């Protein structure tokens, strides 16, 4: 009996160790960080305080793409997120003719659907997709599903979020909530795709 309890204790300890090891990598798993590649456009998803737009403008200035597609339809102080992002990009020196607004979306899925419409309209075949680091795994899953079979090529380049450290996501309440929310939304989306 003592031997059985010892073995049970060791298995329980091993299971908890594996669980906590996996949990420690939960933030890192959310991050998809690819090298930027020359593309037809840079798609920027709304949802932060300007860091995503700044990262996209940096890529634009480096010559990775001649256009920014600013995607976000939620209303903030009587204007859409895409329009706010455009104001920010213009202040950073991007010419208005290099900006294409997508101001209908209110979710990551809609960002992808409406960005696809714009890419088809402008005959863009490639894009760099920019969002916050913690949002990139879900963004890639959604975009790959929406653009499946189109032949479009994407690079997923994150914007660093100063309030989210994926290697130590459990240290701040906001990071904990962001991580849990991302997993819930990612799992929900994957389950919807499977049905």
């Amino acid at each position: 009996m003592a031997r059985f309890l010892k073995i049970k204790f060791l298995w329980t300890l091993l299971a908890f160790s594996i669980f906590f090891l996996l949990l420690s990598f939960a933030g890192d798993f959310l991050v998809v960080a690819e090298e930027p590649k020359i593309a037809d456009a840079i798609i920027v998803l709304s949802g932060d305080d300007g860091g995503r737009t700044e990262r996209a403008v940096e890529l634009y200035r480096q010559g990775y793409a001649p256009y920014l597609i600013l995607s976000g339809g939620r209303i903030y102080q009587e204007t859409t997120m895409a329009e706010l992002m455009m104001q920010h990009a213009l202040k950073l020196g991007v010419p208005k003719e290099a900006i294409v607004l997508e101001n209908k979306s209110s979710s990551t899925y809609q960002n992808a659907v409406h960005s696809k419409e714009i890419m088809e309209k402008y005959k863009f075949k490639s894009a760099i997709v920019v969002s916050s680091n913690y949002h990139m795994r879900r963004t890639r899953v959604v975009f790959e599903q929406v653009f499946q079979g189109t032949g479009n090529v994407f690079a997923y380049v994150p914007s660093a979020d100063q309030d989210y450290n994926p290697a130590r996501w459990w240290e701040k309440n906001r990071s904990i909530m962001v991580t849990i929310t991302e997993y819930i939304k990612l799992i929900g989306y994957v389950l919807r795709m499977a049905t």
Side-chain angles (χ1 to χ4, degrees), residues 16 39 41 44 52 63 76 88 106 110 118 123 129 147 150 170 185:
F16 274 109
V44 193
R52 297 175 185 184
Y76 178 78
H88 192 57
S106 60
Q110 289 178 7
I118 289 171
K123 300 195 178 0
V129 182
F147 283 86
T150 64
W170 58 88
K185 290 180 177 181

Side-chain angles (χ1 to χ4, degrees), residues 13-160:
L13 184 63
L14 178 63
F16 274 109
S17 298
I18 291 170
F19 173 75
F20 284 110
L21 181 65
L22 291 174
L23 201 57
S24 70
F25 289 106
D28 289 322
F29 177 75
L30 293 175
V31 178
V32 173
E34 298 177 350
E35 289 297 317
K37 302 171 188 164
I38 300 295
D40 295 325
I42 300 167
I43 301 171
V44 193
L45 279 57
S46 66
D48 72 342
D49 60 1
R52 297 175 185 184
T53 302
E54 290 166 9
R55 179 67 172 125
V57 170
E58 178 186 327
L59 294 167
Y60 170 82
R61 285 183 180 153
Q62 292 171 350
Y64 281 104
Y67 295 98
L68 297 181
I69 299 172
L70 305 177
S71 180
R74 287 199 173 121
I75 302 296
Y76 178 78
Q77 295 182 351
E78 300 183 5
T79 187
T80 65
M81 295 302 290
E83 290 166 335
L84 287 175
M85 294 162 67
M86 180 178 71
Q87 292 170 13
H88 192 57
L90 292 171
K91 286 179 186 172
L92 294 172
V94 177
K96 193 168 185 176
E97 58 271 13
I99 296 173
V100 180
L101 290 184
E102 183 288 291
N103 54 16
K104 294 185 279 187
S105 63
S106 60
S107 68
T108 304
Y109 178 77
Q110 289 178 7
N111 288 133
V113 168
H114 296 306
S115 293
K116 182 180 177 190
E117 293 167 0
I118 289 171
M119 290 187 68
E120 288 171 351
K121 177 181 176 181
Y122 286 87
K123 300 195 178 0
F124 293 156
K125 293 297 179 190
S126 59
I128 298 169
V129 182
V130 176
S131 191
S132 297
N133 55 359
Y134 60 81
H135 186 228
M136 292 307 290
R137 175 74 54 187
R138 182 161 54 100
T139 298
R140 186 172 78 175
V141 168
V142 171
F143 269 72
E144 286 181 357
Q145 176 65 26
V146 169
F147 283 86
Q148 186 175 16
T150 64
N152 292 99
V153 178
F154 296 97
Y156 298 90
V157 179
S159 165

Side-chain angles (χ1 to χ4, degrees), residues 172-187:
K172 295 181 181 178
N173 287 340
R174 180 187 175 274
S175 295
I176 292 169
M177 291 309 299
V178 162
T179 302
I180 291 169
T181 301
E182 279 301 312
Y183 274 96
I184 290 170
K185 290 180 177 181
L186 180 60
I187 290 166

